[in-house]
Amino acid sequence: MSKWFDETLERIKKATGTRTQVQLAEILNIRQSSISDAKRRSSIPAEWYIKLYRTHGLNPEWLSDGIEPVYLKPGKGKISADNILSETTAQYGQVQSRGRVVPVSSMAGEDSGAEKWEAQQVGELNIPETFYRPSMVVLKVEGSSMEPAIRRNAFAGIDETQRRLMAGDMYAVHVPHQGVVIRRVFFDPENSRFILRPEDPQHPELFIPVQDQDKLVVGRVVWVMQEV
C-alpha cells in the first residue's frame, strides 16, 4: 500500500469518525470489498470524494493531499476541523493514546500455489498507533513452528520494507504451496542459501537460495501480540 493512499484513507476515517472498514463502507454506502479493492490498487475512487463532499462537506483537496481547509461546507461537518487537525498520537498506555484498526491476513494468502504471496484479509485488529507503519501487514499465526516465541493464534506485524535478510532475525517468507511461514533466518555461505529455522525442533528447517530472497521474503517480524 502506498504512503499517499494510507494517509488519504486516514484523513477520511478521521473526518468521518470511522475506525473499521465496515463503518467506512456504511458511510460511503459501498460494499466492504470495494475498500479492499481500493487498497489493492492504492487508488481512491473519485466517487468517494464526491460523496464525502455531498454528505460531510469535506474538501477533496484536503482528503487527497492535506491541503486546507478541511471543509468546503462546514455546516455539514460531523467533527470540528480543529479537532481533526489537532489530533496527535500519544505513546500507547499514556492518556490520550490511540489505537488503529488494521486488516489481518491469513498466512495461506489468496493462492498458496502462486509465485508471489498476496494477502487475504480474514479479520481486523486494533493495535497501538505506535505499532503502525504504512508498509506493514499483520498476519494471524496459524501454526506452532515458532512456539514458544510466537504462539499459535498470535498476531505478527511484518514490515514489508525490511526484506534484506539478517542472520538471527525472524522473517515472514513465502513458500509456494504452503503460504507464508515465519522462521528465524541464518546464512549458509557454503551452499549460498538461507536456512529458515523453526523454534520448535519438531518442525523441519526450510531453505531458500540467496538469489530468491527478494522474490520470497515478505518482510521482517517487528512485533508480536499474543496471550501469555
Side-chain angles (χ1 to χ4, degrees), residues 15-224:
T16 56
T18 56
R19 302 187 68 85
T20 67
Q21 287 191 15
V22 173
Q23 294 170 340
L24 183 57
E26 290 177 355
I27 290 289
L28 293 170
N29 194 27
I30 58 176
R31 297 189 304 272
Q32 185 179 346
S33 60
S34 297
I35 299 176
S36 299
D37 290 341
K39 283 186 174 183
R40 191 174 298 112
R41 297 191 303 268
S42 292
S43 175
I44 301 292
E47 293 81 3
W48 293 16
Y49 296 123
I50 296 171
K51 193 168 295 183
L52 291 169
Y53 166 71
R54 290 174 175 171
T55 60
H56 290 68
L58 288 162
N59 179 3
E61 282 195 310
W62 177 77
L63 291 173
S64 177
D65 301 303
I67 299 173
E68 298 181 30
V70 175
Y71 294 110
L72 294 181
K73 293 185 176 181
K76 287 183 172 289
K78 314 298 182 183
I79 302 172
S80 76
D82 288 342
N83 285 347
I84 294 172
L85 295 172
S86 64
E87 188 177 50
T88 56
T89 302
Q91 292 296 315
Y92 196 65
Q94 294 180 353
V95 176
Q96 298 180 349
S97 65
R98 294 193 297 125
R100 178 188 289 250
V101 176
V102 296
V104 174
S105 298
S106 164
M107 297 180 77
E110 290 192 346
D111 180 2
S112 62
E115 289 188 5
K116 181 177 175 59
W117 181 79
E118 295 289 344
Q120 179 183 35
Q121 184 173 347
V122 294
E124 293 181 325
L125 179 69
N126 191 350
I127 66 172
E129 182 75 24
T130 50
F131 280 24
Y132 176 77
R133 58 193 73 185
S135 56
M136 184 186 69
V137 60
V138 178
L139 296 176
K140 178 71 175 293
V141 178
E142 294 154 356
S144 60
S145 62
M146 295 304 289
E147 291 186 347
I150 303 178
R151 300 178 185 277
R152 185 192 297 270
N153 295 323
F155 298 96
I158 312 299
D159 188 337
E160 294 182 292
T161 65
Q162 299 187 39
R163 298 170 59 201
R164 182 62 57 184
L165 299 178
M166 301 292 291
D169 286 351
M170 288 189 287
Y171 291 83
V173 180
H174 176 219
V175 179
H177 306 292
Q178 293 187 45
V180 167
V181 299
I182 294 177
R183 293 288 193 274
R184 199 175 295 278
V185 172
F186 297 92
F187 183 47
D188 178 7
E190 292 185 1
N191 296 293
S192 297
R193 65 183 183 179
F194 290 99
I195 303 170
L196 309 181
R197 187 166 294 161
E199 296 287 285
D200 184 347
Q202 296 185 36
H203 292 261
E205 291 182 343
L206 301 172
F207 308 92
I208 60 171
V210 169
Q211 64 269 22
D212 286 349
Q213 65 173 310
D214 289 337
K215 179 175 68 175
L216 299 177
V217 177
V218 178
R220 188 173 73 86
V221 179
V222 292
W223 55 258
V224 175

